[in-house]
Amino acid sequence: MIIVMADKVITRFAPSPTGLPHLGTAMYALLNFLFARQNGGKVIMRSEDTDPVRSKPEYEEAIKEDLSWLGIEWDEFARQSEYLESHKKYIKQLLDSGNAYISAEQAENGEGMRDVVRFKNPNKIVTFNDLARGEISVDTTDLHDFVIARDIDSPLYHLAVVADDYDMGVTHIIRGEDGLANTPRQILIQEALGAPRPIYAHYPFFLTPERQKMGKRNGAMPISDYREQGYLPEALINFIILMAWHPNDDQELFTMQGLIERFELERIGKSGAIFDQAKLDWLNREYMKLLKPDELETKASRFIPKGTEKFLPLLIERINKFSDIPRMLESGGEFDFLVKAPGISKELLMGMSGASESEIKKHLAYILEKGTERDTVWPYAEEHGKGKVLWPMRVALSGKERSPDPFTLVQYLGEKESMIRLEHARKILDS
RNA sequence: GGCCCUAUCGUCUAGCGGUUAGGACGGCGCCCUUUCACGGCGUAAACCCGGGUUCGAUUCCCGGUAGGGUCACCA
C-alpha cells in the first residue's frame, strides 16, 4: 500500500448514539467540520454504536437531524459496528506480534471464565504534542496491561478507535478533553500496530454553573429542545464556537462561512466554559434582528398562535426566542391585551398619570369624540399634560402598567376595538 | 488516592516581560420617552496564593491551593 495524498486533512467526530445530542455533541462536530473545511479536507461522522445495550438507531437519526439543522455537515458517514472484521484483524495482529495476550479471567459480571485480550504494556513514557495544549508526557506504567477486547472477537473502545482512525486515514483528532487521558493508551496501540500518529487537539467541556462537566445526564439540554424553543441555528453555532474559541480581536458575531475562514485550531480554549444562557439569548436576539421581515415571519410562523401574526413586529423586540411569543399572548402574559380586552381598574387608569379622576374623564371623552389619531391626540396631550392624557389612554387600551405607547396600540388593535376599550374605561370611571 | 489538564471582571474572554489590563454578556446609571421595550451614552467590576528568574512580572519557572478529566470486560 502506498500512502495516498499524504497532506489531505481528514477529521472525524465520533458520537455514540446513546442519547439525544446536546450542544457538547455539536461542539465536537463543529470543530472537526470547521477544521476540515478550512483545509480542504474531509470530515467523517462515525457512529460509535458498538454498545449493544445503550446504542439506539433513533439516536443516530437524531444526531444527524440536529447537526444538519445547525448547518454542520459531514462528507462520510460510518458505523463502528460495521468495522468489526477489521477490528478482529488488528486484534489478531497484536496477538501474533506479541503486543497482546489472551488472559483467562473471571467474567466481570459474575459467573464463568473469559478469555479477555490484554494489551502488553511496554511501560514507557509517551510524549505527544497537543495542538492546543502543547507537549504532554505520561508514564504509561500505571495503565497496566489494559483490556482491549472482551474476547478475541469483541473489540473494546480503545482498540476500535485506533483501528478505525487508522483505516479511515484520520489525520487530526479533535475531541473533548476527556480524550486527553485516553490518548497515551491509544498511542501505545497505534505504535504496536504500526499506525501513524495523528495530530491531537483537545478542547474543554461546557460546564454547569457548578463547574461540572455538562452532559446528557448533567444539565445539557437536547439540541431538539432549542429548536422547539425557537432558537436560531446561527445563534447556537455562534454561541458554541465562542465557548470554545475566540479570535484575537473583538469580533463576536460569526457566520458559518466566516468561521471557516477565521477559525484557528491552535487557539481553542484550554479551560471549560460555564454555560451562559444570557449570552445565548443575546446572540439569538442579534440573529433575529438580522432577519428580513419575510424571513422572520416564516421562521416564527410555527410559534405564533393563529390570528396573531400581525402582532409579530410588536412582539419581536421583546423576546429572546420564538417560543416566548405564545407565552406573552396567553392569559396573564405581558401582551395578553392584544388577544382579549383587559380588565381595568380606576386606580390603574389614574396610575402615574398625575391627573384627577375628572380630568381623566374629560380627556377620555375628548379622544372618544375626536378619535384616536395621533395628529389630534398629541397636540391635545401637549396642551393638557402628556402624562395626564396619554397614560389613561394607554391603560384603557392595554390594562397594563407597562406597554407600548397608545398610538402603537391603536395601530395594532384597530380604531374600532380601541374606541370600545376607551368607552369601557370611561364607564369604569363613572361607576 | 495515582496520573493528566486548567486557573484574567459575576460569566465568556483578549493579552503572549514594561498596557490607564481591552472587548462582549449580565448589572447599575443617564439620555430618549406618558409607562415598557428598542436604541444611544456612560459606569462599577478581574490578573488564585507563595517563592523564584528579571531592571521589571498578569505574562516565564517551581511549589501550594482550587476546579475539572481519567484510571471499565461503556463509548
Side-chain angles (χ1 to χ4, degrees), chain A residues 110-244:
Chain A
E111 313 315 308
M113 299 294 278
R114 236 195 329 208
D115 284 342
V116 303
V117 181
R118 283 187 182 274
F119 182 78
K120 189 158 175 41
N121 191 332
N123 296 330
K124 57 185 269 194
I125 307 287
V126 167
T127 301
F128 63 100
N129 189 63
D130 185 289
L131 225 46
R133 299 174 191 239
E135 193 173 279
I136 295 167
S137 270
V138 178
D139 184 347
T140 63
T141 303
D142 31 64
L143 266 28
H144 306 108
D145 288 354
F146 53 93
V147 178
I148 55 171
R150 206 176 270 122
D151 58 64
I152 196 167
D153 291 325
S154 310
L156 255 13
Y157 175 65
H158 293 295
L159 185 279
V161 167
V162 171
D164 291 343
D165 289 338
Y166 185 18
D167 285 344
M168 297 175 188
V170 171
T171 58
H172 296 256
I173 294 182
I174 305 164
R175 63 187 3 173
E177 65 179 334
D178 51 343
L180 208 47
N182 291 329
T183 303
R185 248 184 215 84
Q186 294 173 10
I187 286 176
L188 251 23
I189 299 174
Q190 273 159 21
E191 291 179 344
L193 246 25
R197 183 188 298 187
I199 293 164
Y200 289 95
H202 294 271
Y203 62 82
F205 304 121
F206 272 111
L207 266 27
T208 66
E210 294 75 37
R211 296 206 158 275
Q212 301 292 308
K213 172 187 175 183
M214 194 175 254
K216 290 184 185 86
R217 293 255 3 242
N218 191 19
M221 194 161 86
I223 293 169
S224 52
D225 282 14
Y226 288 99
R227 183 173 51 216
E228 274 149 34
Q229 288 183 15
Y231 281 95
L232 264 8
E234 302 90 317
L236 255 3
I237 287 293
N238 204 139
F239 177 70
I240 292 167
I241 198 65
L242 248 22
M243 295 300 251

Side-chain angles (χ1 to χ4, degrees), chain A residues 344-368 380 384-396 422 425-430:
Chain A
I344 46 180
S345 68
K346 212 177 275 191
E347 295 69 39
L348 196 58
L349 238 18
M350 303 194 49
M352 298 170 64
S353 68
S356 70
E357 211 174 304
S358 62
E359 278 179 295
I360 291 177
K361 221 182 289 186
K362 186 181 83 180
H363 298 329
L364 289 180
Y366 178 86
I367 300 169
L368 249 6
Y380 178 81
H384 295 271
K386 281 184 279 196
K388 293 183 180 186
V389 178
L390 267 18
W391 174 279
M393 179 182 176
R394 192 180 59 70
V395 169
L422 256 5
R426 186 167 64 172
K427 284 197 184 114
I428 298 253
L429 286 173
D430 284 334

Side-chain angles (χ1 to χ4, degrees), chain A residues 90-105:
Chain A
Y90 289 121
I91 292 171
K92 186 168 187 312
Q93 182 186 331
L94 289 172
L95 251 14
D96 290 347
S97 62
N99 288 111
Y101 58 90
I102 291 172
S103 171
E105 294 174 24

Side-chain angles (χ1 to χ4, degrees), chain A residues 5-72:
Chain A
M5 299 182 67
D7 289 329
K8 171 150 178 168
V9 165
I10 300 177
T11 68
R12 50 69 160 181
F13 54 94
S16 36
T18 55
L20 292 174
H22 48 88
L23 260 23
T25 316
M27 188 190 279
Y28 188 10
L30 177 63
L31 264 19
N32 279 283
F33 166 71
L34 289 176
F35 187 72
R37 278 291 175 278
Q38 71 179 184
N39 288 289
K42 75 173 178 186
V43 51
I44 300 166
M45 180 191 323
R46 186 170 71 220
S47 181
E48 310 237 312
D49 59 344
T50 52
D51 181 337
V53 309
R54 295 194 303 152
S55 294
K56 299 267 189 306
E58 56 264 41
Y59 291 137
E60 194 176 283
E61 270 317 300
I63 293 168
K64 287 176 164 181
E65 186 185 336
D66 294 344
L67 294 181
S68 296
W69 175 69
L70 287 172
I72 297 168

